[in-house]
Coordinates of all heavy atoms in Angstrom, one line a residue:
M753 N 74.0 197.4 -86.2 CA 74.2 198.6 -85.3 C 73.0 198.8 -84.4 O 71.9 198.6 -84.8 CB 74.4 199.8 -86.2 CG 74.7 201.0 -85.4 SD 75.1 202.5 -86.4 CE 73.5 203.2 -86.6
K754 N 73.3 199.1 -83.2 CA 72.3 199.3 -82.2 C 72.0 200.8 -82.0 O 72.7 201.7 -82.5 CB 72.6 198.7 -80.8 CG 73.8 199.5 -80.2 CD 74.2 198.9 -78.9 CE 75.3 199.7 -78.2 NZ 75.5 199.4 -76.9
T755 N 70.9 201.2 -81.4 CA 70.5 202.5 -81.1 C 71.4 203.1 -80.1 O 71.7 202.6 -79.1 CB 69.0 202.6 -80.7 OG1 68.2 202.0 -81.7 CG2 68.6 204.0 -80.4
V756 N 71.9 204.4 -80.4 CA 72.7 205.1 -79.4 C 72.0 206.5 -79.2 O 71.5 207.1 -80.0 CB 74.1 205.4 -80.1 CG1 75.0 206.1 -79.1 CG2 74.8 204.1 -80.5
Y757 N 72.1 206.9 -77.9 CA 71.4 208.1 -77.4 C 72.5 209.1 -77.1 O 73.5 208.8 -76.5 CB 70.6 207.8 -76.2 CG 69.5 206.7 -76.5 CD1 69.8 205.4 -76.3 CD2 68.3 207.1 -77.1 CE1 68.8 204.4 -76.7 CE2 67.3 206.1 -77.4 CZ 67.6 204.8 -77.2 OH 66.7 203.9 -77.5
F758 N 72.2 210.4 -77.5 CA 73.1 211.5 -77.3 C 72.4 212.7 -76.6 O 71.2 212.9 -76.8 CB 73.7 212.0 -78.6 CG 74.5 211.0 -79.3 CD1 73.9 210.1 -80.2 CD2 75.9 211.0 -79.1 CE1 74.7 209.2 -80.9 CE2 76.7 210.1 -79.8 CZ 76.1 209.2 -80.7
L759 N 73.2 213.3 -75.7 CA 72.8 214.6 -75.2 C 73.7 215.6 -75.8 O 75.0 215.5 -75.6 CB 73.0 214.6 -73.6 CG 72.9 215.9 -72.9 CD1 71.6 216.6 -73.0 CD2 73.4 215.8 -71.5
F760 N 73.2 216.6 -76.5 CA 74.0 217.7 -77.1 C 73.9 219.0 -76.3 O 72.8 219.3 -75.7 CB 73.5 218.0 -78.5 CG 73.9 217.0 -79.5 CD1 73.0 216.0 -80.0 CD2 75.2 216.9 -80.0 CE1 73.4 215.1 -81.0 CE2 75.6 216.0 -81.0 CZ 74.7 215.0 -81.4
G761 N 75.0 219.7 -76.2 CA 75.0 221.0 -75.5 C 76.1 221.0 -74.5 O 76.2 220.1 -73.7
K762 N 76.9 222.0 -74.6 CA 78.1 222.1 -73.7 C 77.8 222.1 -72.2 O 78.4 221.3 -71.5 CB 79.0 223.3 -74.1 CG 80.2 223.4 -73.3 CD 81.1 224.6 -73.7 CE 82.3 224.6 -72.9 NZ 83.3 225.5 -73.3
E763 N 77.0 223.0 -71.8 CA 76.7 223.1 -70.3 C 76.1 221.8 -69.8 O 76.4 221.4 -68.7 CB 75.9 224.4 -70.0 CG 76.6 225.6 -70.3 CD 75.7 226.8 -70.1 OE1 74.5 226.8 -70.3 OE2 76.2 227.9 -69.6
A764 N 75.1 221.3 -70.5 CA 74.4 220.2 -70.0 C 75.3 219.0 -70.0 O 75.3 218.2 -69.1 CB 73.2 219.9 -70.9
S765 N 76.1 218.8 -71.0 CA 77.1 217.7 -71.1 C 78.1 217.8 -70.0 O 78.4 216.8 -69.3 CB 77.8 217.7 -72.4 OG 76.9 217.3 -73.5
E766 N 78.6 219.0 -69.7 CA 79.6 219.2 -68.7 C 79.0 218.9 -67.3 O 79.6 218.3 -66.5 CB 80.2 220.6 -68.7 CG 81.1 220.8 -69.9 CD 81.6 222.2 -70.0 OE1 81.2 223.1 -69.3 OE2 82.5 222.4 -70.9
M767 N 77.7 219.3 -67.1 CA 77.1 219.1 -65.8 C 76.8 217.6 -65.6 O 77.0 217.1 -64.5 CB 75.7 219.8 -65.7 CG 75.0 219.6 -64.4 SD 73.5 220.6 -64.2 CE 74.3 222.2 -63.7
L768 N 76.4 216.9 -66.7 CA 76.2 215.5 -66.6 C 77.5 214.7 -66.2 O 77.5 213.9 -65.3 CB 75.7 214.9 -67.9 CG 75.4 213.4 -68.0 CD1 74.4 212.9 -67.0 CD2 75.1 213.0 -69.4
T769 N 78.6 215.1 -66.8 CA 79.9 214.5 -66.5 C 80.4 214.8 -65.1 O 80.8 213.9 -64.4 CB 80.9 214.9 -67.6 OG1 80.4 214.6 -68.9 CG2 82.3 214.3 -67.3
A770 N 80.3 216.1 -64.7 CA 80.8 216.5 -63.5 C 80.0 216.2 -62.3 O 80.5 215.8 -61.2 CB 81.1 218.0 -63.5
E771 N 78.7 216.3 -62.4 CA 77.8 216.2 -61.3 C 76.8 215.1 -61.3 O 76.1 214.8 -60.3 CB 77.0 217.6 -61.1 CG 78.0 218.7 -60.9 CD 77.3 220.1 -60.9 OE1 76.1 220.1 -60.4 OE2 77.8 221.1 -61.3
G772 N 76.6 214.5 -62.5 CA 75.7 213.4 -62.6 C 74.3 213.7 -63.1 O 73.9 214.9 -63.1
M773 N 73.5 212.7 -63.4 CA 72.2 212.8 -63.9 C 71.2 213.5 -63.0 O 70.4 214.4 -63.4 CB 71.6 211.4 -64.3 CG 70.2 211.5 -64.8 SD 69.9 212.5 -66.3 CE 70.6 211.5 -67.6
E774 N 71.3 213.2 -61.7 CA 70.3 213.8 -60.8 C 70.5 215.3 -60.7 O 69.5 216.1 -60.6 CB 70.4 213.2 -59.4 CG 69.9 211.7 -59.3 CD 68.4 211.6 -59.8 OE1 67.6 212.4 -59.4 OE2 68.2 210.7 -60.7
S775 N 71.8 215.8 -60.7 CA 72.0 217.2 -60.6 C 71.5 217.9 -61.9 O 71.0 219.0 -61.8 CB 73.5 217.5 -60.5 OG 73.9 217.1 -59.2
L776 N 71.7 217.2 -63.0 CA 71.3 217.8 -64.3 C 69.7 217.9 -64.3 O 69.2 219.0 -64.7 CB 71.8 217.0 -65.5 CG 71.3 217.4 -66.8 CD1 71.7 218.8 -67.2 CD2 71.9 216.5 -67.9
K777 N 69.1 216.9 -63.9 CA 67.6 216.9 -63.9 C 67.1 218.0 -62.9 O 66.1 218.7 -63.2 CB 67.1 215.5 -63.5 CG 67.1 214.5 -64.6 CD 66.7 213.1 -64.2 CE 65.5 213.1 -63.2 NZ 65.2 211.7 -62.8
E778 N 67.7 218.1 -61.7 CA 67.3 219.1 -60.7 C 67.5 220.5 -61.3 O 66.6 221.3 -61.2 CB 68.2 219.0 -59.5 CG 67.8 217.8 -58.6 CD 68.7 217.7 -57.4 OE1 69.4 218.7 -57.0 OE2 68.8 216.6 -56.8
A779 N 68.6 220.7 -62.0 CA 68.8 222.0 -62.6 C 67.7 222.4 -63.7 O 67.2 223.5 -63.7 CB 70.2 222.1 -63.2
L780 N 67.4 221.4 -64.4 CA 66.4 221.6 -65.5 C 65.0 221.8 -64.9 O 64.3 222.7 -65.3 CB 66.3 220.4 -66.4 CG 67.6 220.2 -67.3 CD1 67.6 218.9 -68.0 CD2 67.8 221.4 -68.3
E781 N 64.7 221.0 -63.8 CA 63.4 221.2 -63.2 C 63.3 222.5 -62.4 O 62.2 223.0 -62.3 CB 63.2 220.0 -62.2 CG 62.9 218.7 -62.9 CD 63.0 217.5 -62.0 OE1 63.3 217.6 -60.8 OE2 62.8 216.4 -62.5
E782 N 64.4 223.1 -62.0 CA 64.4 224.4 -61.3 C 64.4 225.5 -62.3 O 64.4 226.7 -61.9 CB 65.6 224.4 -60.4 CG 65.5 223.5 -59.2 CD 66.8 223.5 -58.3 OE1 67.8 224.2 -58.7 OE2 66.8 222.7 -57.4
G783 N 64.5 225.2 -63.6 CA 64.4 226.2 -64.6 C 65.7 226.8 -65.0 O 65.7 227.9 -65.6
D784 N 66.8 226.2 -64.7 CA 68.1 226.7 -65.1 C 68.2 226.8 -66.6 O 67.6 225.9 -67.3 CB 69.3 225.8 -64.6 CG 69.6 226.0 -63.1 OD1 68.8 226.7 -62.4 OD2 70.6 225.4 -62.7
D785 N 68.8 227.8 -67.1 CA 68.8 228.0 -68.6 C 69.9 227.2 -69.2 O 71.0 227.7 -69.5 CB 69.0 229.5 -68.8 CG 68.9 229.8 -70.3 OD1 68.2 229.1 -71.0 OD2 69.4 230.8 -70.8
L786 N 69.7 225.9 -69.4 CA 70.7 225.0 -70.0 C 70.1 224.6 -71.4 O 69.1 224.0 -71.5 CB 70.9 223.7 -69.2 CG 71.5 223.9 -67.8 CD1 71.5 222.6 -67.1 CD2 72.9 224.4 -68.0
S787 N 70.8 225.1 -72.4 CA 70.4 224.7 -73.8 C 70.9 223.3 -74.1 O 72.1 223.0 -73.8 CB 71.0 225.7 -74.8 OG 70.4 227.0 -74.6
F788 N 70.0 222.4 -74.6 CA 70.5 221.1 -74.9 C 69.5 220.5 -75.9 O 68.4 221.0 -76.1 CB 70.6 220.2 -73.7 CG 69.3 219.8 -73.1 CD1 68.7 218.6 -73.4 CD2 68.6 220.6 -72.2 CE1 67.5 218.2 -72.8 CE2 67.4 220.3 -71.6 CZ 66.9 219.0 -71.9
A789 N 69.9 219.4 -76.5 CA 69.1 218.7 -77.4 C 69.4 217.2 -77.2 O 70.5 216.8 -76.8 CB 69.3 219.0 -78.9
L790 N 68.3 216.4 -77.4 CA 68.5 214.9 -77.3 C 68.4 214.3 -78.7 O 67.6 214.8 -79.5 CB 67.4 214.4 -76.4 CG 67.4 214.9 -75.0 CD1 66.1 214.4 -74.3 CD2 68.6 214.4 -74.2
Y791 N 69.2 213.3 -78.9 CA 69.2 212.7 -80.2 C 69.2 211.2 -80.1 O 70.0 210.6 -79.3 CB 70.4 213.2 -81.0 CG 70.3 212.9 -82.5 CD1 69.7 213.8 -83.4 CD2 70.8 211.7 -83.0 CE1 69.6 213.5 -84.7 CE2 70.7 211.4 -84.4 CZ 70.1 212.3 -85.2 OH 70.0 212.0 -86.5
E792 N 68.4 210.5 -80.8 CA 68.3 209.0 -80.9 C 68.9 208.6 -82.2 O 68.2 208.8 -83.2 CB 66.9 208.6 -80.6 CG 66.7 207.1 -80.6 CD 65.3 206.7 -80.3 OE1 64.4 207.6 -80.3 OE2 65.0 205.5 -80.1
F793 N 70.0 208.0 -82.2 CA 70.6 207.5 -83.5 C 70.3 206.0 -83.7 O 70.9 205.2 -83.0 CB 72.1 207.7 -83.5 CG 72.8 207.5 -84.8 CD1 72.9 208.6 -85.7 CD2 73.4 206.3 -85.1 CE1 73.6 208.4 -86.9 CE2 74.0 206.1 -86.3 CZ 74.1 207.2 -87.2
T794 N 69.4 205.7 -84.6 CA 68.9 204.4 -84.8 C 69.6 203.8 -86.1 O 70.2 204.6 -86.8 CB 67.4 204.3 -85.0 OG1 67.1 204.9 -86.2 CG2 66.7 204.9 -83.9
P795 N 69.5 202.5 -86.3 CA 70.1 202.0 -87.5 C 69.5 202.6 -88.8 O 70.2 202.6 -89.8 CB 69.8 200.5 -87.5 CG 69.6 200.2 -86.0 CD 69.0 201.5 -85.4
D796 N 68.3 203.2 -88.7 CA 67.7 203.8 -89.9 C 68.0 205.3 -90.0 O 67.5 205.9 -90.9 CB 66.2 203.6 -89.8 CG 65.8 202.2 -89.8 OD1 66.5 201.4 -90.5 OD2 64.8 201.8 -89.2
T797 N 68.7 205.9 -89.0 CA 69.0 207.3 -89.1 C 69.9 207.7 -90.2 O 70.9 207.0 -90.4 CB 69.6 207.8 -87.7 OG1 68.6 207.5 -86.7 CG2 69.9 209.3 -87.7
N798 N 69.7 208.7 -90.9 CA 70.5 209.2 -91.9 C 71.7 209.9 -91.1 O 71.5 210.8 -90.4 CB 69.8 210.3 -92.7 CG 70.6 210.9 -93.8 OD1 71.9 210.9 -93.8 ND2 70.0 211.4 -94.8
P799 N 72.9 209.4 -91.4 CA 74.1 210.0 -90.7 C 74.2 211.5 -90.9 O 74.7 212.2 -90.0 CB 75.3 209.3 -91.4 CG 74.7 208.0 -91.9 CD 73.3 208.4 -92.3
A800 N 73.7 212.1 -92.0 CA 73.8 213.5 -92.2 C 73.0 214.3 -91.2 O 73.4 215.4 -90.7 CB 73.3 213.9 -93.6
E801 N 71.9 213.7 -90.7 CA 71.1 214.3 -89.6 C 71.9 214.4 -88.4 O 71.9 215.4 -87.7 CB 69.8 213.6 -89.4 CG 68.8 213.6 -90.5 CD 67.6 212.7 -90.2 OE1 67.3 212.5 -89.0 OE2 67.1 212.2 -91.1
F802 N 72.6 213.3 -88.0 CA 73.4 213.3 -86.8 C 74.5 214.3 -87.0 O 74.8 215.1 -86.0 CB 74.0 211.9 -86.6 CG 74.9 211.9 -85.4 CD1 74.5 211.9 -84.1 CD2 76.3 211.8 -85.7 CE1 75.4 211.8 -83.1 CE2 77.2 211.8 -84.6 CZ 76.7 211.8 -83.3
L803 N 75.2 214.3 -88.1 CA 76.4 215.2 -88.3 C 75.9 216.7 -88.2 O 76.6 217.6 -87.7 CB 77.1 214.9 -89.6 CG 77.8 213.6 -89.6 CD1 78.3 213.3 -91.0 CD2 78.9 213.6 -88.6
H804 N 74.7 217.0 -88.7 CA 74.2 218.3 -88.6 C 74.0 218.7 -87.2 O 74.3 219.9 -86.8 CB 72.8 218.4 -89.4 CG 72.2 219.8 -89.3 ND1 72.7 220.9 -90.0 CD2 71.1 220.2 -88.7 CE1 72.0 221.9 -89.8 NE2 71.0 221.5 -88.9
S805 N 73.4 217.9 -86.3 CA 73.2 218.1 -84.9 C 74.6 218.4 -84.2 O 74.7 219.3 -83.4 CB 72.5 217.0 -84.2 OG 71.2 216.9 -84.7
F806 N 75.5 217.5 -84.6 CA 76.9 217.7 -84.0 C 77.5 219.0 -84.4 O 78.1 219.8 -83.6 CB 77.8 216.6 -84.4 CG 79.2 216.7 -83.9 CD1 79.5 216.4 -82.6 CD2 80.2 217.2 -84.7 CE1 80.8 216.6 -82.0 CE2 81.5 217.3 -84.2 CZ 81.8 217.0 -82.9
K807 N 77.3 219.4 -85.6 CA 77.8 220.7 -86.1 C 77.2 221.9 -85.4 O 77.9 222.8 -85.0 CB 77.6 220.8 -87.6 CG 78.1 222.1 -88.2 CD 77.8 222.2 -89.7 CE 78.4 223.5 -90.3 NZ 78.0 223.6 -91.7
I808 N 75.9 221.8 -85.1 CA 75.2 222.9 -84.4 C 75.7 222.9 -82.9 O 76.0 224.0 -82.4 CB 73.7 222.7 -84.5 CG1 73.3 222.9 -85.9 CG2 73.0 223.6 -83.5 CD1 71.8 222.6 -86.1
W809 N 75.7 221.8 -82.2 CA 75.9 221.7 -80.8 C 77.4 221.6 -80.4 O 77.8 222.0 -79.3 CB 75.1 220.7 -80.1 CG 73.6 221.0 -80.2 CD1 72.7 220.5 -81.1 CD2 72.9 221.8 -79.3 NE1 71.5 221.0 -80.9 CE2 71.6 221.8 -79.7 CE3 73.2 222.6 -78.2 CZ2 70.6 222.6 -79.1 CZ3 72.2 223.3 -77.5 CH2 70.9 223.3 -78.0
G810 N 78.1 220.8 -81.1 CA 79.5 220.6 -80.8 C 79.7 219.6 -79.7 O 80.0 218.4 -79.9
E811 N 79.5 220.0 -78.4 CA 79.7 219.2 -77.3 C 78.6 218.2 -77.1 O 77.4 218.5 -77.4 CB 79.8 220.0 -76.0 CG 80.9 221.0 -76.0 CD 82.3 220.4 -75.8 OE1 82.3 219.3 -75.1 OE2 83.3 220.9 -76.2
Y812 N 78.9 217.0 -76.7 CA 77.9 216.0 -76.5 C 78.3 214.9 -75.5 O 79.5 214.8 -75.1 CB 77.6 215.3 -77.8 CG 78.7 214.3 -78.3 CD1 78.7 213.0 -78.0 CD2 79.7 214.8 -79.1 CE1 79.7 212.1 -78.4 CE2 80.8 214.0 -79.5 CZ 80.7 212.7 -79.1 OH 81.7 211.8 -79.6
S813 N 77.3 214.2 -75.0 CA 77.6 213.0 -74.2 C 76.8 211.9 -74.7 O 75.6 212.1 -75.1 CB 77.1 213.3 -72.7 OG 77.9 214.3 -72.1
V814 N 77.3 210.7 -74.6 CA 76.6 209.5 -74.9 C 75.8 209.1 -73.6 O 76.4 209.1 -72.6 CB 77.5 208.3 -75.4 CG1 76.7 207.0 -75.6 CG2 78.2 208.7 -76.7
I815 N 74.5 208.9 -73.8 CA 73.7 208.6 -72.6 C 73.0 207.3 -72.8 O 72.9 206.8 -73.9 CB 72.7 209.7 -72.3 CG1 71.8 210.0 -73.5 CG2 73.5 211.0 -71.9 CD1 70.7 211.0 -73.2
T816 N 72.4 206.7 -71.8 CA 71.6 205.5 -71.9 C 70.2 205.8 -72.3 O 69.8 206.9 -72.3 CB 71.6 204.8 -70.5 OG1 70.8 205.6 -69.6 CG2 73.0 204.5 -69.9
K817 N 69.5 204.7 -72.7 CA 68.1 204.9 -73.1 C 67.3 205.4 -71.9 O 66.5 206.3 -72.1 CB 67.6 203.6 -73.5 CG 66.1 203.6 -73.9 CD 65.6 202.3 -74.5 CE 64.2 202.4 -74.9 NZ 63.7 201.1 -75.5
E818 N 67.6 205.0 -70.7 CA 66.9 205.4 -69.5 C 67.1 206.9 -69.2 O 66.2 207.7 -68.9 CB 67.3 204.6 -68.3 CG 66.8 203.2 -68.3 CD 67.7 202.3 -69.2 OE1 68.8 202.6 -69.6 OE2 67.1 201.2 -69.6
E819 N 68.4 207.3 -69.4 CA 68.7 208.8 -69.2 C 68.0 209.6 -70.3 O 67.5 210.7 -70.0 CB 70.2 209.0 -69.3 CG 71.0 208.4 -68.1 CD 72.4 208.4 -68.2 OE1 73.0 208.3 -69.4 OE2 73.1 208.5 -67.2
F820 N 68.0 209.1 -71.5 CA 67.3 209.8 -72.6 C 65.8 210.0 -72.3 O 65.3 211.1 -72.4 CB 67.4 208.9 -73.9 CG 66.7 209.5 -75.1 CD1 67.4 210.4 -75.9 CD2 65.5 209.0 -75.5 CE1 66.8 210.9 -77.0 CE2 64.8 209.5 -76.6 CZ 65.5 210.5 -77.4
I821 N 65.2 209.0 -71.8 CA 63.8 209.1 -71.4 C 63.6 210.1 -70.3 O 62.7 210.9 -70.3 CB 63.2 207.7 -71.1 CG1 63.2 206.8 -72.3 CG2 61.8 207.8 -70.4 CD1 62.9 205.3 -72.0
E822 N 64.4 210.0 -69.2 CA 64.4 210.9 -68.1 C 64.5 212.4 -68.6 O 63.8 213.3 -68.1 CB 65.4 210.6 -67.1 CG 65.2 209.3 -66.3 CD 66.3 209.1 -65.3 OE1 66.6 210.0 -64.5 OE2 66.8 208.0 -65.2
L823 N 65.5 212.6 -69.4 CA 65.7 214.0 -69.9 C 64.6 214.5 -70.8 O 64.3 215.7 -70.8 CB 67.1 214.1 -70.5 CG 68.3 214.0 -69.6 CD1 69.6 213.9 -70.4 CD2 68.3 215.1 -68.6
K824 N 64.1 213.6 -71.6 CA 63.0 213.9 -72.5 C 61.8 214.4 -71.7 O 61.1 215.4 -72.1 CB 62.6 212.7 -73.3 CG 61.9 213.1 -74.6 CD 61.8 211.9 -75.5 CE 61.1 212.3 -76.8 NZ 61.0 211.3 -77.8
E825 N 61.6 213.9 -70.5 CA 60.5 214.3 -69.6 C 60.7 215.7 -69.1 O 59.8 216.4 -68.7 CB 60.3 213.3 -68.5 CG 59.8 212.0 -68.9 CD 59.8 211.0 -67.8 OE1 60.2 211.2 -66.7 OE2 59.3 209.8 -68.1
C826 N 62.0 216.2 -69.1 CA 62.3 217.5 -68.6 C 62.1 218.6 -69.7 O 62.1 219.8 -69.4 CB 63.7 217.6 -68.1 SG 64.1 216.6 -66.6
L827 N 61.9 218.2 -70.9 CA 61.7 219.2 -72.0 C 60.3 219.8 -71.9 O 59.4 219.3 -71.5 CB 61.8 218.5 -73.3 CG 63.2 218.0 -73.7 CD1 63.2 217.3 -75.1 CD2 64.2 219.2 -73.8

């Protein structure tokens, strides 16, 4: 299994899908109040950790490693 990257959070996921990564990054840099979390699911990750994050956030998007790194810089 390979590493998979996730963006959790309804508003952030919807913005990423509808408007793209640049719009999401701009909104975050401008201080928009978007709650989100990033998750890196590696072969060593306990599935219970991932399921717990999903339970808390619900909405998610699968993102690339590059997008994960870009968004992590916005935190």
Side-chain angles (χ1 to χ4, degrees):
M753 182 175 89
K754 66 178 184 168
T755 300
V756 181
Y757 301 90
F758 294 91
L759 166 66
F760 285 103
K762 181 177 181 170
E763 291 176 328
S765 291
E766 288 176 352
M767 181 176 280
L768 177 64
T769 300
E771 301 175 33
M773 176 59 77
E774 289 306 312
S775 292
L776 177 56
K777 284 177 37 184
E778 285 176 20
L780 294 170
E781 290 167 357
E782 292 173 0
D784 284 10
D785 188 25
L786 295 173
S787 296
F788 72 97
L790 299 171
Y791 195 89
E792 182 177 8
F793 190 86
T794 68
D796 298 327
T797 301
N798 179 338
E801 292 176 29
F802 174 77
L803 293 172
H804 178 71
S805 293
F806 177 75
K807 182 179 178 183
I808 291 171
W809 291 98
E811 299 286 329
Y812 71 93
S813 294
V814 176
I815 58 176
T816 66
K817 181 177 183 177
E818 291 77 19
E819 291 170 330
F820 178 85
I821 292 168
E822 287 180 49
L823 290 172
K824 198 168 184 176
E825 292 174 357
C826 293
L827 291 176

